[in-house]
């Protein structure tokens, strides 16, 4: 029959470049699991457990997983898989919220900027672990003046410093501050000092490795994750078994799981649980959305959500046994409470735990395993962030498709991040690292997730979104409808409320507790710079919403209504996917036209 309708928009007629898919389901699952299971699972979750009531913390943790983590995780995976697009292009479903995708891109860029610095630290420690004795142990010749044995008891060594004052002098802390960071030569944020050349070379090596692993996109990174995503589990298992054989390990485990039920009355506990779920699952960064966009259209996204999210949370819990069993042994040797050793962040991964490993028989072997685990954990997470950035750029600029242009794009991104990251490997780089770490994933990231949830639920339509998921799964079993009913309630009410609660508490905590690194308190201009960093992310949402409204015509109400309607290219792309995966009967359509 002759074509009777209006001609389709130019964006529909423009051919889209072919989009690759994962070679197998296992590659996608391992990539997502490696992306989610990061350094926070090792150095933040165990600390939060003991700080917030021990085993009692698991109650708010899993409640937040059910109400906030799983719904938002499923939303990102479903949105990327159904739209087959990156964090920016996927918002063709609701052009008014294109700024959410741009904000995701900014967050991923800021995180990539400092996250590879952690990998550089791990790389430096990994190379130093091949020395015997370890350079941060009391047995090292350079540390003999720091640690002096003055008495031997049946429970280990009692140490004192060279001046004779009782206590344990940490050679590990001296190595971290002087040999690695050089922070003792910097007075603060305004005094970065010269570059630390060993870290500069390690950072360059880390970016070169990321570039090589992602050179062919998911075809190369999908193969690498078979090692990088599974190796940390092997190391955690080995460390748990080794820790269980150490004296004092049960004291560390008891300290880790000790229950203080009164802590459930504290809002801080619930806020910590929500933030840990939020950050450990990688929600709002765009990485999950980008990786899901390479899935087959009929992939069971609900099943993937349950496997990845629950696997990530269980990893956090079991990693605590590996950490606190060894810290318990360290406390036993020092004859001090475990709480005086336990800490969070880089202090745990690069000071407390290496010190504990240094007193074990065969210390270099255990140190190599631990820092190789940190290295693979960091690289996996960075893969997801860089994938989100490159996918977003390629979707917006199709002319960059092609192996040479994509390689040039990836090389330019890695080199730019390397140059920007040089500030973080100066003598005062740890101060800038802490600033970027605190504010790049602070209130801005929560606002991004809040608008993503509200936009899909009320602008795109929660019923339509659920129908899209059913279309992808094709044959939705009875349990699928009940699960989607639960998620529908979360998306429309429970999840936004909890995100709003977390956001308010984040603002209160930010203004009530000044930012510090050790004894150094950040100046007002430094805090203001960090707030501007978070505000830059948030401003993308109203900015691009205003651009979308300006592109429409009519009254403000008409423009708003048009800007919340999916574009023709969104419906065309998804319809093609449905036809390709659902209709399997060959047919022929003949079009004729009359002059």
């Amino acid at each position: 029959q002759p074509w009777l309708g209006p001609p389709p928009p130019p964006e529909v007629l423009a051919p889209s470049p072919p989009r690759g898919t994962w070679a197998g389901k296992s590659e996608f699952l391992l990539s997502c699991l490696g992306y989610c299971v990061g350094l926070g699972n090792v150095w933040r979750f165990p600390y939060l457990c003991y700080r917030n009531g021990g085993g009692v913390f698991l109650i708010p943790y899993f409640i937040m997983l059910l109400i906030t983590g799983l719904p938002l995780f499923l939303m990102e995976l479903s949105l990327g898989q159904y739209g087959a697009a990156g964090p920016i292009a996927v918002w063709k479903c609701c052009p008014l919220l294109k700024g959410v995708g741009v904000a995701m891109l900014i967050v991923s860029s800021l995180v990539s900027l400092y996250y590879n610095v952690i990998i550089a630290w791990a790389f430096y420690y990994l190379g130093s672990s091949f020395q015997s004795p370890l350079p941060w142990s009391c047995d090292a010749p350079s540390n003999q003046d720091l640690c002096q044995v003055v008495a031997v008891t049946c429970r280990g060594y009692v140490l004192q410093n060279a001046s004779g004052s009782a206590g344990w002098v940490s050679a590990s802390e001296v190595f971290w501050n002087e040999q690695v960071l050089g922070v003792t030569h910097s007075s603060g944020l305004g005094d970065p000092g010269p570059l630390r050349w060993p870290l500069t070379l390690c950072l360059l090596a880390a970016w070169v490795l990321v570039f090589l692993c992602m050179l062919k996109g998911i075809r190369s990174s999908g193969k690498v994750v078979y090692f990088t995503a599974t190796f940390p589990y092997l190391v955690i298992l080995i460390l748990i078994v080794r820790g269980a054989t150490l004296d004092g390990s049960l004291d560390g485990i008891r300290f880790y799981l000790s229950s203080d039920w009164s802590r459930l009355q504290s809002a801080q506990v619930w806020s910590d649980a929500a933030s840990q779920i939020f950050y450990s699952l990688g929600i709002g960064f765009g990485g999950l959305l980008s990786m899901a966009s390479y899935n087959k259209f009929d992939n069971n996204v609900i099943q993937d959500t349950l496997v990845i999210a629950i696997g990530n949370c269980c990893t956090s819990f079991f990693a605590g046994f590996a950490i606190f069993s060894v810290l318990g042994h360290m406390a036993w040797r020092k004859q001090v409470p475990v709480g005086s050793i336990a800490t969070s962040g880089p202090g745990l991964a690069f000071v407390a735990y290496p010190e504990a490993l240094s007193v074990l028989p065969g210390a270099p072997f255990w140190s190599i395993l631990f820092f190789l685990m940190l290295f693979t954990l960091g690289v996996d997470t960075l893969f997801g962030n860089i994938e989100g950035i490159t996918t977003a750029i390629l979707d917006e600029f199709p002319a960059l498709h092609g192996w040479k242009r994509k390689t040039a794009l990836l090389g330019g991104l890695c080199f730019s991040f390397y140059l920007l990251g040089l500030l973080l490997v100066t003598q005062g780089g740890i101060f800038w690292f802490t600033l970027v770490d605190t504010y790049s994933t602070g209130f801005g990231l929560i606002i991004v997730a809040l608008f993503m949830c509200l936009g899909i639920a009320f602008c795109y339509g929660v019923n339509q979104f659920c129908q899209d998921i059913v279309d992808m799964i094709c044959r939705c079993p009875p349990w699928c409808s009940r699960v989607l009913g639960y998620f529908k309630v979360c998306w429309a009410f429970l999840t936004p409320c909890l995100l709003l609660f977390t956001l308010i508490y984040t603002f209160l905590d930010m203004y009530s507790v000044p930012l510090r690194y050790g004894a150094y308190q950040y100046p007002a201009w430094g805090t203001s710079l960090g707030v501007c960093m978070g505000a830059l992310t948030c401003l993308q949402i109203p900015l691009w919403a205003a651009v979308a409204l300006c592109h429409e015509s009519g009254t403000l109400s008409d423009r708003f209504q048009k800007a919340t309607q999916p574009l023709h290219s969104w419906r065309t792309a998804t319809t093609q996917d449905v036809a390709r995966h659902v209709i399997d009967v060959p047919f022929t359509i003949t079009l004729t036209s009359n002059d």
Side-chain angles (χ1 to χ4, degrees), residues 288-309:
L288 291 172
L289 200 150
S290 297
M291 288 187 286
S293 69
Y294 297 102
N295 272 338
K296 295 181 178 179
F297 184 80
D298 56 353
N299 178 62
N300 192 331
V301 69
I302 297 181
Q303 186 180 73
D304 292 347
T305 297
L306 297 176
V307 170
I308 298 170

Side-chain angles (χ1 to χ4, degrees), residues 167-182:
W168 177 279
V169 178
S170 174
S172 178
E173 187 173 358
V174 172
F175 179 81
W176 166 247
N177 288 325
E178 295 185 5
Q179 300 298 321
V180 181
L181 299 179

Side-chain angles (χ1 to χ4, degrees), residues 177-179 181-188 191-194 196 427-428 431:
N177 288 325
E178 295 185 5
Q179 300 298 321
L181 299 179
V183 68
T184 54
H185 304 290
S186 174
S187 59
D191 180 27
R196 301 290 295 174
Q427 290 178 346
F431 300 117

